[in-house]
């Protein structure tokens, strides 16, 4: 029986567990990172924020990378105030924060592991006059900040990491697409999808657009459709390796 090939577009340093999970159930994982993560240089404003962390009622970590890179910057420059509440959007971020700090975040969505899920938590309802620091990567959506400000909060950003398009050898990608070997592609962000399209050789773009996608949130469906993807678009319930693997099996890509 031919192994089914799943293409993973996560940054290389974050793809190991999912790659192993796919191979453990008899699939083949083709790693083609469409994002690379680098630490961001702190601005003068960021350094002032870190020196005055006790002014914040909440610190929100937007992603696992925000936890990893943000906490390193916090720990290198200051001490976390005991009474500042820590929030993460997803369970993966919560797990990393717990491993790095030895304590669980104070606020995590119970479902819908995205900005709307966090905004729906009880802690984010009455935030008038609260000071909130959002730790994130460069760019990103403004939805969380805008909504919190509409609720009366004062919100600042700290950019802890940069997402860049990596230089990649596309020889294997071209071969997999030419031979119709990819059962599904796992996409975890709009930037990752955009970069994939830009990195794919023009002679196999049409084949790429016919490959099914497994996405980690419903917002990516419209982005994929606008980009021209015409095959099946499925959404995993969350971005964890377990949820992605279960969805791949549910839709018979593994």
């Amino acid at each position: 029986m031919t192994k089914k090939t799943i293409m993973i577009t996560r940054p290389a340093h974050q793809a190991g567990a999912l790659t192993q999970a796919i191979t453990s159930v008899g699939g083949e994982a083709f790693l083609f990172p469409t994002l690379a993560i680098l630490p961001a240089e702190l601005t003068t404003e960021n350094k002032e924020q870190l020196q005055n962390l006790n002014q914040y009622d909440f610190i929100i970590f937007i992603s696992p990378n925000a936890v990893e890179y943000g906490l390193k910057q916090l720990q290198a420059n200051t001490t976390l105030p005991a009474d500042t509440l820590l929030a993460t959007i997803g369970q993966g971020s919560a797990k990393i924060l717990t491993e790095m700090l030895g304590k669980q975040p104070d606020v995590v969505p119970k479902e819908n592991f995205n900005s709307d899920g966090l905004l729906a938590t009880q802690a984010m309802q009455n935030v008038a006059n609260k000071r909130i620091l959002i730790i994130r990567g460069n760019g990103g959506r403004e939805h969380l900040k805008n909504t919190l400000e509409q609720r009366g909060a004062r919100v600042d950003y700290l950019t802890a990491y940069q997402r860049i398009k990596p230089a990649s050898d596309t020889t294997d990608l071209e071969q997999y697409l030419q031979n119709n070997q990819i059962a599904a592609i796992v996409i975890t962000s709009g930037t990752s999808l955009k970069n994939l399209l830009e990195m794919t050789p023009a002679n196999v773009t049409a084949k790429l657009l016919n490959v099914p996608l497994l996405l980690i949130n419903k917002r990516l469906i419209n982005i994929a459709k606008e980009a021209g993807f015409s095959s099946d678009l499925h959404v995993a319930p969350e971005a964890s390796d377990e949820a992605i693997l279960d969805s791949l099996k549910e839709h018979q890509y593994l």
Side-chain angles (χ1 to χ4, degrees):
M1 181 177 175
T2 304
K3 288 185 178 181
K4 293 187 176 181
T5 300
I6 306 300
M7 180 170 160
I8 303 172
T9 58
R10 277 181 173 169
H13 73 285
Q14 293 179 325
L18 182 57
T19 297
Q20 188 174 10
I22 289 169
T23 56
S24 71
V25 296
E28 177 186 357
F30 167 43
L31 178 58
F32 186 81
T34 57
L35 281 178
I37 306 297
L38 299 174
E41 284 194 30
L42 293 178
T43 64
T44 301
E45 181 183 6
N46 290 155
K47 292 176 182 177
E48 291 175 357
Q49 290 168 338
L50 292 178
Q51 294 305 316
N52 296 283
L53 271 189
N54 57 1
Q55 70 181 311
Y56 293 107
D57 300 285
F58 294 93
I59 299 175
I60 298 173
F61 296 90
I62 213 82
S63 67
N65 285 314
V67 176
E68 181 180 347
Y69 289 91
L71 275 183
K72 285 178 181 176
Q73 291 180 340
L74 294 184
Q75 292 170 332
N77 290 277
T78 188
T79 302
L80 275 170
D83 54 353
T84 298
L85 300 179
L86 306 181
T88 63
I89 284 182
Q91 292 182 324
S93 301
K95 181 180 178 182
I96 294 173
L97 186 142
T98 302
E99 290 171 352
M100 292 183 70
L101 281 186
K103 60 165 284 187
Q104 295 182 341
D106 302 286
V107 184
V108 186
K110 293 183 179 178
E111 57 184 7
N112 297 330
F113 301 104
N114 52 36
S115 295
D116 287 321
L118 182 64
L119 288 166
T121 61
Q122 186 60 40
M124 293 293 133
Q125 301 312 303
N126 301 310
V127 292
N129 299 316
K130 299 291 187 183
R131 295 293 304 271
I132 299 175
L133 180 65
I134 297 177
I135 298 182
R136 65 174 191 167
N138 57 314
R141 300 170 68 212
E142 300 294 321
H143 175 59
L144 178 60
K145 180 176 188 286
N146 290 344
T147 304
L148 290 171
E149 288 179 337
Q150 289 168 8
R151 295 177 183 179
R154 296 173 61 191
V155 184
D156 296 322
Y157 282 135
L158 189 153
T159 300
Y161 63 95
Q162 302 177 65
R163 291 168 292 199
I164 65 170
K165 182 169 64 176
S168 294
D169 182 347
T170 61
T171 304
D172 288 343
L173 173 63
E174 189 170 358
Q175 183 175 344
Y176 273 109
L177 289 172
Q178 287 283 21
N179 296 332
N180 300 311
Q181 287 178 273
I182 301 174
I185 303 172
V186 177
I187 298 290
T188 54
S189 73
T191 303
S192 179
L193 184 61
K194 173 178 175 289
N195 288 350
L196 173 60
L197 285 164
E198 292 177 357
M199 296 164 72
T200 300
N203 63 310
V204 288
T205 297
K207 285 184 173 288
L208 173 74
L209 295 174
N210 281 319
V211 178
L213 302 183
L214 181 68
L215 313 167
I216 60 154
N217 60 56
K218 293 179 181 178
R219 183 176 59 86
L220 292 174
I221 292 177
N222 288 335
I223 296 175
K225 287 181 177 178
E226 289 172 4
F229 281 88
S230 56
S231 190
D232 294 333
L233 305 174
H234 301 290
V235 180
E238 57 165 314
S240 70
D241 296 331
E242 294 82 1
I244 290 172
L245 187 68
D246 287 345
S247 292
L248 288 169
K249 291 192 288 188
E250 176 188 350
H251 298 294
Q252 300 183 344
Y253 296 126
L254 285 173

